[in-house]
């Protein structure tokens, strides 16, 4: 197996990287010296096989109109069959220029103005932005936080789904930012409620490959035959290629396929798939499993390091690593106010992490921190957090 150096750091400034060059997207107080541990964007170089494939396609000299063919479709089907025992019919796969646009298409196609769309905060904030942007109503089925371990409030979900105006549930699976990987029993209960209330499910499974050791993601399609389900998957987070957005939208039901095509093809003529995105996906799924294995091992070690570091330096927060994603979800409230910490980290300690309040009110007090980076970045970021908390604690004592 080819060994990759995940400790190596790279200069990414000057490439219009959102994470490094456009930190004002999140906080306009960031400077060129700020260390960014925000955004779900890995600091690991893309696999050589992907880069070689892209170069070869460019050297071919033609980048004209392309459509998803058997090589791409087979690569997607084989990946999910081998990893999750999920058998996907090639006719069920539809191209989208990323998962977020797909969510927008689905909201528009399956709901009407002012209809409710259910989400489960604290959750990825573009969900609510897309719902509001479509003139729909955000319906919050807040997760239950039991000392940092999150559960679904099924009683509340049933109540919300029973309202005929609330037509769609956007399920984040695995959940971003809290890191839960839903169990078979949890997924079955979600489906049971939605089937009984005739509620559509859009399952965003973009983080499905990024779970901890001995924890297995279950695609929702492997636990049910409920027809009103659309699943969105992508290689973007798995292989650190989010800048070339491509997603596979899996729709088994014939009626839902017609609705999807009416929305995407008839309204926006989304029919072709970019050739670079397709060959990237083929290379990733067919040849880069070894890269993912090493990245997952490194992320696991980073989480273990973070867990140990915080236990030794900030024991009252009782931090535990998530089941999925490469995003830590941490509450420092046992020591300091989160607003004060956020301010001093960016203004004095040149560290940018994401405040949990942007993921919905239940996220207030938490921070989302990416650990998909060389250990030197993570250790430096944690050191700055500990020093900042000690400074604030001493100031508040005076």
């Amino acid at each position: 197996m080819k060994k990759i150096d995940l400790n190596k750091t790279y200069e990414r400034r000057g490439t219009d990287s959102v994470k490094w060059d456009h930190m004002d997207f999140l906080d306009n107080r960031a400077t060129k010296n700020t260390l960014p541990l925000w955004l779900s964007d890995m600091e690991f170089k893309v696999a050589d096989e992907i880069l070689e494939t892209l170069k070869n396609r460019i050297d071919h000299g033609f980048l004209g109109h392309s459509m998803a063919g058997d090589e791409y479709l087979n690569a997607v089907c084989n990946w999910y069959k081998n990893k999750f025992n999920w058998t996907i019919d090639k006719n069920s796969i539809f191209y989208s220029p990323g998962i977020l646009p797909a969510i927008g298409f689905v909201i528009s196609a399956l709901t009407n103005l002012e209809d409710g769309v259910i989400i489960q905060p604290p959750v990825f904030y573009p969900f609510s932005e897309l719902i509001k942007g479509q003139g729909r109503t955000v319906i919050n089925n807040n997760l239950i936080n039991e000392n940092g371990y999150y559960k679904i409030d099924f009683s509340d979900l049933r109540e919300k789904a029973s309202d005929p105006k609330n037509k769609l549930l956007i399920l984040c699976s695995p959940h971003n930012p809290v890191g839960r990987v839903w169990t078979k029993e949890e997924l079955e209960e979600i489906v049971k409620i939605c089937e009984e209330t005739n509620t559509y499910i859009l399952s965003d499974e973009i983080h499905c490959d990024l779970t901890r050791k001995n924890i297995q993601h279950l695609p929702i399609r492997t636990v049910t035959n409920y027809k009103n389900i659309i699943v969105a998957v992508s290689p973007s987070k798995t292989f650190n290629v989010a800048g070339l957005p491509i997603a596979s939208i899996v729709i088994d039901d014939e009626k839902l396929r017609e609705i999807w095509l009416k929305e995407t093809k008839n309204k926006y003529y989304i029919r072709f798939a970019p050739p670079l995105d397709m060959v990237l996906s083929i290379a990733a799924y067919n040849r880069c499993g070894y890269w993912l294995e090493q990245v997952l091992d490194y992320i696991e070690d980073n989480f273990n390091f973070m867990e140990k570091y915080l236990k030794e330096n900030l024991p009252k927060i009782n931090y535990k690593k998530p089941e999925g994603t490469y995003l830590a979800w941490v509450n420092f409230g046992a020591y300091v106010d989160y607003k004060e910490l956020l301010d001093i980290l960016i203004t004095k300690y040149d560290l940018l992490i994401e405040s949990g309040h942007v993921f919905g009110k239940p996220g207030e007090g938490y921070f989302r921190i990416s650990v998909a980076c060389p250990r030197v970045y993570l250790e430096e970021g944690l050191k700055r957090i500990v020093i900042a908390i000690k400074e604030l604690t001493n100031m508040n004592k005076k």
Side-chain angles (χ1 to χ4, degrees):
M1 179 187 296
K2 185 193 300 184
K3 183 71 175 176
I4 52 178
D5 184 3
L6 297 173
N7 285 308
K8 187 175 180 179
T9 61
Y10 298 88
E11 179 56 71
R12 296 185 61 194
R13 293 182 181 90
T15 62
D16 272 332
S17 161
V18 173
K19 186 175 184 180
W20 287 88
D21 293 320
H22 295 281
M23 287 182 265
D24 57 345
F25 179 84
L26 183 67
D27 195 316
N28 59 18
R29 296 170 295 178
T31 72
K32 64 180 181 179
N33 297 317
T34 300
L35 174 63
L37 292 182
W38 74 296
L39 200 65
S40 51
D41 186 339
M42 295 186 191
E43 291 301 313
F44 305 132
K45 189 177 180 182
V46 174
D48 289 341
E49 289 81 358
I50 292 175
L51 298 178
E52 291 165 3
T53 297
L54 290 172
K55 289 174 185 175
N56 291 338
R57 187 66 175 84
I58 290 170
D59 287 344
H60 178 255
F62 292 89
L63 298 172
H65 293 307
S66 302
M67 295 181 72
D70 281 344
E71 191 175 9
Y72 169 78
L73 297 173
N74 287 335
V76 174
C77 291
N78 290 339
W79 179 264
Y80 290 96
K81 177 63 176 178
N82 293 335
K83 278 190 68 75
F84 305 106
N85 198 28
W86 178 18
T87 302
I88 302 176
D89 180 348
K90 287 192 291 187
N91 295 317
S92 296
I93 300 174
F94 297 85
Y95 162 77
S96 174
I99 285 183
L100 287 176
I103 293 173
F105 298 145
V106 171
I107 292 170
S108 175
L110 298 182
T111 65
N112 300 312
L113 287 174
E114 300 183 1
D115 279 350
V117 179
I118 304 169
I119 58 175
Q120 297 173 312
V123 74
F124 191 43
Y125 54 86
F127 289 0
S128 60
E129 292 179 2
L130 285 166
I131 294 166
K132 294 173 185 175
Q134 297 275 11
R136 275 59 169 174
T137 304
V138 175
I139 305 297
N140 291 317
N141 169 228
N142 293 338
L143 298 179
I144 300 169
N145 184 352
E146 295 185 351
N147 297 316
Y149 184 80
Y150 288 82
K151 297 181 178 180
I152 296 170
D153 187 339
F154 288 112
S155 176
D156 181 70
L157 177 59
R158 179 174 291 280
E159 180 181 340
K160 302 287 173 60
S162 295
D163 185 338
K165 288 285 286 183
N166 300 335
K167 296 179 180 176
L168 171 66
L169 166 68
I170 301 177
L171 177 67
C172 198
S173 178
H175 192 283
N176 172 18
V178 308
R180 274 300 318 280
V181 175
W182 306 120
T183 65
K184 183 173 185 286
E185 291 74 22
E186 287 170 317
L187 292 172
E188 287 175 337
E189 185 64 19
I190 290 169
V191 172
K192 179 182 177 184
I193 290 170
C194 290
E195 189 166 14
E196 290 175 356
T197 59
N198 198 32
T199 303
Y200 292 105
I201 299 173
L202 172 57
S203 187
D204 174 0
E205 304 190 12
I206 196 170
H207 291 279
C208 64
D209 298 306
L210 301 163
T211 57
R212 302 294 77 77
K213 288 187 183 300
N214 303 317
I215 294 177
Q216 178 73 11
H217 166 79
L218 287 173
I220 193 169
R221 261 287 163 229
T222 64
V223 303
T224 180
N225 291 318
Y226 178 45
K227 66 177 184 177
N228 287 336
I229 293 179
I230 295 174
V231 182
V233 293
S234 170
S236 62
K237 301 300 181 188
T238 303
F239 296 101
N240 196 29
V241 290
L244 292 172
I246 185 169
S248 294
I249 311 306
V250 183
I251 309 173
D252 290 332
D253 182 68
E254 189 63 41
K255 183 178 178 181
L256 280 183
R257 292 179 191 176
E258 293 174 3
I259 292 172
W260 169 267
L261 288 173
K262 182 178 179 181
E263 182 68 25
T264 57
K265 177 178 175 290
N266 295 4
K267 279 190 181 182
Y268 304 105
Y269 214 81
I270 293 176
R271 193 175 185 185
F272 305 129
L276 293 182
D277 293 7
M278 285 192 297
V279 297
L280 174 157
S281 301
I282 293 166
Y285 286 137
N286 288 348
R287 302 168 59 199
C288 297
Y290 80 94
W291 183 93
L292 177 60
E293 287 180 17
Q294 292 178 57
V295 165
L296 287 175
D297 285 342
Y298 195 92
I299 289 171
E300 187 89 21
D301 288 343
N302 268 356
F303 272 123
N304 290 338
F305 171 81
M306 182 175 185
E307 196 170 32
K308 183 174 183 290
Y309 191 94
L310 293 177
K311 184 177 182 179
E312 292 173 351
N313 292 277
L314 300 170
K316 288 195 289 186
I317 70 170
N318 193 31
Y319 174 71
K320 293 182 176 61
K321 63 185 178 184
E323 296 170 338
T325 80
Y326 50 76
L327 304 163
W329 185 242
V330 197
N331 191 324
F332 300 104
Y335 293 93
V336 293
D337 176 77
Y338 78 93
K339 293 179 182 177
E340 292 181 347
L341 180 58
L342 184 68
D343 287 343
I344 196 172
L345 285 175
I346 191 66
T347 59
K348 185 172 181 178
Y349 291 99
D350 286 322
L351 179 67
L352 184 60
I353 56 179
E354 291 176 279
S355 175
H357 79 275
V358 301
F359 299 92
K361 189 170 179 58
E364 287 185 0
Y366 280 81
F367 291 91
R368 193 181 79 157
I369 305 170
S370 173
V371 308
C373 59
R375 178 69 55 79
V376 63
Y377 288 161
L378 178 60
E379 186 171 7
E380 179 60 29
L382 292 174
K383 284 180 180 178
R384 296 183 194 186
I385 290 171
V386 170
I387 293 170
I389 288 176
K390 288 180 179 178
E391 178 177 336
L392 286 172
T393 301
N394 290 332
M395 287 171 54
N396 292 333
K397 286 180 180 178
K398 294 179 181 179

